Amino acid sequence: MGTPEFAVETLKALVENNYNVVAVVTQPDRPVGRHQNELQPSEVKKFALEHNLPVLQPEKMKDPEFVEQLRSYKANLQVVVAFRMLPEIVWDMPVYGTFNVHAALLPQYRGAAPINWAVINGETQTGVTTFFLDKNIDTGRIIMQKPFAIPDDADVEYVYDGLMYLGADICLETIEKIIAADGHPESIPQDNLLGNIKRLYPAPKIFKNTCEINWDRPAKCIYDFIRGLSPYPGAWTTLLGPDGKTLDLKIFKTSKTEKAVGMKPGTIVVYKGILYITTADYLLQIEELQLSGKKRMAARDFLNGTKNFENYIIK
């Protein structure tokens, strides 16, 4: 059960290792295009069809027709990767239960966007966790975990790719554990881990307003925020041009500096062909950006094609 590219690698590993994948469950095709008149299948569906796997695409997971169809496949085990919340009638169906491959070291970063939030919060390590599903989101008994280092200059794409492959590996190892234990492998209640954790960080779904940059924060926080949203969906700020028009500016890559500032946070500074924006403590060098309606480009190229950019104001 899965939808995006992240889930494909795990499905691919199951197929290539000759597991009997009796069916694939993914989201319904979604309308795309300017007029929303084309239907786009999920990445998981594309892979499943290429490998002649039956595909189920329920609108509602409690739909009786879907539940009976799913039951007819008589799966011993269900694997969930980057999918929606399941009702008990679905996750409790197989004799060996249902486990999820989650892109974080639970109980940290429960929620829909664990990879983004780990980078945004400046973590130096994240990982993948397999756990049995229960009635709440990402709270079930942990079966296995594998860590993954986050370099200080890594963006979310780097971490996404690393966890995607690590997730496929841990899935295969988890299945072997489950089979060897006849469906009852050793697992740990997440409550047992809470005593050693000072603060739990959530990983809620990210919306456009989540991605707006707050320049009143320290440079390191903004640096992590930008790379935690790069390349997608992209951190942004609003510019006010000399002509009074506003434009959205996405920022994809920055560099930290040790240049202290005495100006209001959010002030644009152009010095010797380099673009900076002030923060609560240091200048942040802007390296890659994208103005509304334009292509993503290096800041130096952007400055070469934009006259008097220092006259713009961040709203």
Side-chain angles (χ1 to χ4, degrees), residues 120-121 214-222 225 265 278-281:
I120 287 170
N121 289 335
N214 176 5
W215 296 103
D216 289 326
R217 304 184 72 205
K220 174 66 165 70
C221 295
I222 299 173
F225 183 79
T278 60
T279 71
D281 50 13

Side-chain angles (χ1 to χ4, degrees), residues 67-231:
V67 172
E68 286 311 306
Q69 189 179 14
L70 186 64
R71 199 186 306 276
S72 71
Y73 286 100
K74 299 178 181 178
N76 297 99
L77 178 67
Q78 289 174 163
V79 180
V80 180
V81 187
F83 198 49
R84 64 178 92 168
M85 188 174 181
L86 303 183
E88 185 172 359
I89 194 172
V90 172
W91 58 255
D92 195 42
M93 189 181 294
V95 63
Y96 284 178
T98 301
F99 76 84
N100 185 292
V101 178
H102 187 74
L105 297 176
L106 292 173
Q108 293 288 14
Y109 297 105
R110 293 168 175 165
I115 305 175
N116 298 92
W117 285 108
V119 181
I120 287 170
N121 289 335
E123 300 284 4
T124 58
Q125 179 178 271
T126 183
V128 287
T129 301
T130 52
F131 68 95
F132 284 116
L133 265 64
D134 62 16
K135 294 180 180 179
N136 298 309
I137 298 177
D138 300 336
T139 59
R141 296 177 65 94
I142 291 173
I143 309 166
M144 291 187 69
Q145 291 189 316
K146 284 181 177 290
F148 181 84
I150 305 177
D152 183 64
D153 61 349
D155 62 17
V156 79
E157 184 174 45
Y158 172 90
V159 183
Y160 180 99
D161 289 347
L163 295 185
M164 179 171 67
Y165 293 104
L166 194 61
D169 291 342
I170 199 174
C171 174
L172 297 180
E173 292 182 33
T174 298
I175 290 175
E176 288 305 307
K177 278 188 79 170
I178 290 173
I179 292 172
D182 196 26
H184 300 283
E186 182 180 350
S187 57
I188 304 169
Q190 291 190 38
D191 286 348
N192 289 9
L193 305 176
L194 296 179
N196 299 323
I197 297 174
K198 293 180 180 179
R199 178 180 175 185
L200 275 181
Y201 291 94
K205 189 174 181 179
I206 289 174
F207 300 94
K208 183 181 179 182
N209 64 341
T210 312
C211 304
E212 184 174 9
I213 301 167
N214 176 5
W215 296 103
D216 289 326
R217 304 184 72 205
K220 174 66 165 70
C221 295
I222 299 173
Y223 170 81
D224 292 336
F225 183 79
I226 289 169
R227 66 192 182 98
L229 296 167
S230 179

Side-chain angles (χ1 to χ4, degrees), residues 213-219 222 237-238 261-269 276-284 312-315:
I213 301 167
N214 176 5
W215 296 103
D216 289 326
R217 304 184 72 205
I222 299 173
T237 194
T238 301
V261 297
M263 292 173 280
K264 178 183 176 183
T267 301
I268 294 168
V269 178
Y276 302 94
I277 298 179
T278 60
T279 71
D281 50 13
Y282 299 108
L283 285 173
L284 194 64
Y312 283 69
I313 297 170
I314 292 178
K315 290 188 70 178

